[in-house]
Structures are given as structure tokens and as C-alpha cells.
Amino acid sequence: MKCKKILDNKQRCRAFAQSEKDFCFRHDPENQEVSKLSSQKGGQNRALQGFYGKSVRLNTPEDVKKFLGQVINGVWAEGVPVPVGSSMGFLTRCWLDAYEASDIVKRLDEIEEKLKLSGSG
Ligand SMILES: [Zn+2]
């Protein structure tokens, strides 16, 4: 479930609500003090809470390539924290591994199918 907080720009907060609560950690009235503290502390805490762009749809390695380009520019020129960039690098690596693995399985299936067809015909 998504957080129920309506932000200053009239958009609803896009973070997930905490389990069994209506708000995300940041907007939970019970956490206001903690939240203020972590905002003041800045650095690491904020790095873990931010939004750095719109959602992205990754269907092909080409999409991943474009996304990584955005991330790199974000870290390099737009102040996106380096740990965020590192996580995205790691996750896209996982994505590519998974893509590659499923692509290989798909090709093997196709080859098997062809072998079956030529065997019976
Ligand atoms: Zn929220």
C-alpha cells in the first residue's frame, strides 16, 4: 500500500506505507521527530530516502543502457549520492544476468522445438 500523504505539489507521496500504517516512514506522524533528525543529519540517511527520477520500464538491455546513462549523469552532475549510483549499478548487473539467463533458456527451447519437428518429420 502507498503512503497517504499529499505533498506540497498536490501529488500523493509515492513511497510505500509502513506495514499496517497509512504513511511511509517519512510521513508517519509518530516518526516526525525521528524524521526531522534524519533530515538534519543529511548525508547517508537522506541518501537512502530520496527519489531520483520517474519510474523506469526495463524491457531490453537497451533500456538498461539508457537508464545507466541517466544514473551516471545523475551521480556525476546532479548530486545523486554515490551509494545510490552504486546500488543501481549492482541492480542493473543483476537485471542483465537474469535477462541473459532467460534469453538462453528461450533459445534452447526454440532449438529443442526445431529438433523435435525435424525428428518427427
Ligand atoms: Zn510518504
Side-chain angles (χ1 to χ4, degrees):
M1 205 174 65
K2 293 285 175 70
C3 172
K4 287 190 172 155
K5 172 77 178 181
I6 306 295
L7 303 171
D8 294 341
N9 60 8
K10 307 269 186 257
Q11 303 240 317
R12 193 157 150 187
C13 173
R14 288 166 65 187
F16 283 101
Q18 304 167 94
S19 56
E20 298 180 18
K21 288 191 176 182
D22 289 338
F23 298 98
C24 70
F25 177 81
R26 209 180 200 174
H27 296 128
D28 185 346
E30 290 172 31
N31 286 340
Q32 279 319 300
E33 283 311 301
V34 185
S35 171
K36 222 186 286 168
L37 271 181
S38 52
S39 299
Q40 281 165 1
K41 268 171 89 183
Q44 287 294 69
N45 283 328
R46 274 171 88 168
L48 300 173
Q49 292 182 7
F51 299 106
Y52 302 101
K54 292 182 179 165
S55 355
V56 284
R57 194 176 290 261
L58 303 175
N59 293 321
T60 65
E62 191 64 23
D63 295 339
V64 173
K65 203 171 92 183
K66 279 184 208 152
F67 174 63
L68 271 180
Q70 286 173 19
V71 171
I72 290 167
N73 273 317
V75 172
W76 187 252
E78 292 160 23
V80 171
V82 171
V84 173
S86 308
S87 315
M88 293 307 107
F90 172 73
L91 289 175
T92 47
R93 183 66 253 166
C94 293
W95 189 97
L96 287 169
D97 287 347
Y99 180 88
E100 209 170 298
S102 72
D103 193 49
I104 288 170
V105 169
K106 211 164 77 188
R107 284 183 199 189
L108 276 177
D109 283 350
E110 280 168 13
I111 291 169
E112 269 179 9
E113 208 51 41
K114 277 181 193 156
L115 284 176
K116 255 190 252 166
L117 285 176
S118 63
S120 66

